[in-house]
Amino acid sequence: MKKELLLILFIFIAGTTFSQNFEGTIKWAMKIDLKNAQLKDANKGNGSAPQMDVEIKKLEDQMNEPEFKKQMEANPQLKSLMEENLNRLKSMQAASGAGAGSFMPTSVLIKIKDGNNLIKMEGGMSDMMGEILYIKDKDQSYSIRRKNKTYSVLPKAPESKEKEPVVKVTKTSETVKIIGYTCTKYIIQVTDHGKTINQAAWTTKEIKDFDPNALSKMNSSGSKEAKFYLSGVEGVPLKIESDNGEMKMVMEVTELKKTPLDGSLFLIPSDYKLVKGIGF
């Protein structure tokens, strides 16, 4: 879904813009506001509940098959994974009745070392999402589930062959202090197929451990629907937001600590099992 794609994109912007020389942790607060009444109603589960019921029953039937039961008993990791998937579906079903806000995380904690990122979401259904590990040398991201000792390879976003939207970036004179750093506001207006998306970034030049090319690199990946446009924006973003008329998402850094981290945090443990089909 577009909301989840946008969320993941924001998270990776949050990590990669610091990745060149920065080592430490960064915490972002998140807020999502659904403004479209029809979209709010859709997220109350009125339209998705029947399909969710079907998916839950299908998984329960599979887990109750005699042969599959034997496989789960012989493989505790498989059993744990299937139970987690079932719990995740049931939690999503419950969350849909409360709206999208109860599903989405409220904060993101990012650990960074040598260009590697370990991302953990907090609040909402973050326990079901696991952690995201990006290994720079492999240029690859993984979904990590420590409870089950499993991991999966996250697919890379395909390159879009569609015409790029028209993007207008305006630097304003508006400044604000965010965790002690002076930030300048940029307004970013994106027009695509007659639809306008309003974005904004508050950036600072007071953080030196920063790759100045990171922002422009971000514009070459991801789908247009979930892209945050940062070409022409200078400095490190400490607050970013996007408003497409139906949903407004805001992320803001609340904590930034430069501290040595153990390199083992950015490795997949040798006893973890690779599984397929696990992601967002």
Side-chain angles (χ1 to χ4, degrees):
M1 293 183 289
K2 293 181 181 180
K3 295 189 295 300
E4 285 81 2
L5 287 172
L6 188 58
L7 165 63
I8 298 303
L9 177 84
F10 274 23
I11 291 171
F12 276 102
I13 289 176
T16 55
T17 54
F18 287 88
S19 296
Q20 186 72 5
N21 301 304
F22 180 86
E23 180 174 353
T25 62
I26 306 166
K27 188 169 186 177
W28 293 73
M30 292 182 55
K31 184 177 180 181
I32 299 170
D33 178 26
L34 293 177
K35 301 185 295 181
N36 183 284
Q38 291 182 343
L39 187 60
K40 287 181 179 179
D41 290 340
N43 277 280
K44 288 181 180 179
N46 297 332
S48 61
Q51 181 60 34
M52 192 70 70
D53 289 340
V54 171
E55 294 298 325
I56 290 174
K57 187 177 186 306
K58 185 187 299 184
L59 192 56
E60 287 178 333
D61 288 344
Q62 181 184 6
M63 294 174 66
N64 288 325
E65 291 176 0
E67 284 300 318
F68 198 78
K69 272 188 173 182
K70 291 180 181 179
Q71 293 180 33
M72 288 194 296
E73 292 303 322
N75 188 340
Q77 287 182 321
L78 174 62
K79 182 179 180 181
S80 178
L81 182 62
M82 295 299 291
E83 290 174 344
E84 180 185 357
N85 287 341
L86 180 60
N87 290 333
R88 188 197 320 193
L89 286 174
K90 289 182 176 180
S91 296
M92 288 176 65
Q93 185 182 50
S96 67
S102 61
F103 172 79
M104 303 303 282
T106 55
S107 62
V108 181
L109 181 65
I110 306 172
K111 297 180 180 181
I112 301 171
K113 181 182 179 72
D114 298 330
N116 304 304
N117 302 326
L118 181 63
I119 301 169
K120 182 177 181 180
M121 288 165 274
E122 302 172 336
M125 292 183 63
S126 55
D127 288 343
M128 298 296 177
M129 294 181 179
E131 300 176 16
I132 303 171
L133 173 63
Y134 172 75
I135 299 179
K136 181 182 178 182
D137 290 344
K138 296 181 179 181
D139 189 25
Q140 182 61 60
S141 299
Y142 304 86
S143 175
I144 308 291
R145 284 177 164 71
R146 302 196 184 277
K147 179 181 178 181
N148 299 328
K149 293 188 175 182
T150 61
Y151 72 97
S152 59
V153 179
L154 293 178
K156 295 182 180 180
E159 292 185 8
S160 174
K161 296 182 180 179
E162 296 184 27
K163 184 179 179 181
E164 285 294 320
V166 176
V167 181
K168 180 182 177 182
V169 177
T170 303
K171 181 179 180 180
T172 74
S173 58
E174 181 181 336
T175 61
V176 65
K177 286 277 189 178
I178 299 177
I179 60 168
Y181 297 99
T182 300
C183 297
T184 300
K185 181 180 180 180
Y186 286 80
I187 297 174
I188 304 146
Q189 190 177 67
V190 183
T191 303
D192 185 29
H193 293 94
K195 183 178 181 179
T196 298
I197 299 175
N198 295 305
Q199 301 180 342
W202 287 258
T203 72
T204 182
K205 294 183 179 180
E206 297 175 359
I207 299 176
K208 304 305 179 183
D209 298 334
F210 166 66
D211 177 6
N213 298 315
L215 300 183
S216 61
K217 289 176 183 176
M218 285 302 302
N219 288 340
S220 64
S221 62
S223 68
K224 290 192 300 180
E225 295 173 343
K227 185 180 290 186
F228 195 87
Y229 294 83
L230 290 168
S231 290
V233 174
E234 299 178 336
V236 182
L238 295 185
K239 181 178 179 180
I240 49 183
E241 70 176 41
S242 180
D243 189 337
N244 65 5
E246 295 180 338
M247 180 189 74
K248 180 178 180 180
M249 178 179 287
V250 181
M251 288 187 69
E252 182 173 343
V253 173
T254 58
E255 186 179 281
L256 189 153
K257 292 182 179 179
K258 297 181 182 181
T259 183
L261 298 174
D262 191 329
S264 64
L265 290 171
F266 306 93
L267 299 173
I268 299 175
S270 59
D271 59 338
Y272 279 32
K273 182 180 179 181
L274 173 64
V275 295
K276 295 182 178 180
I278 305 300
F280 296 94

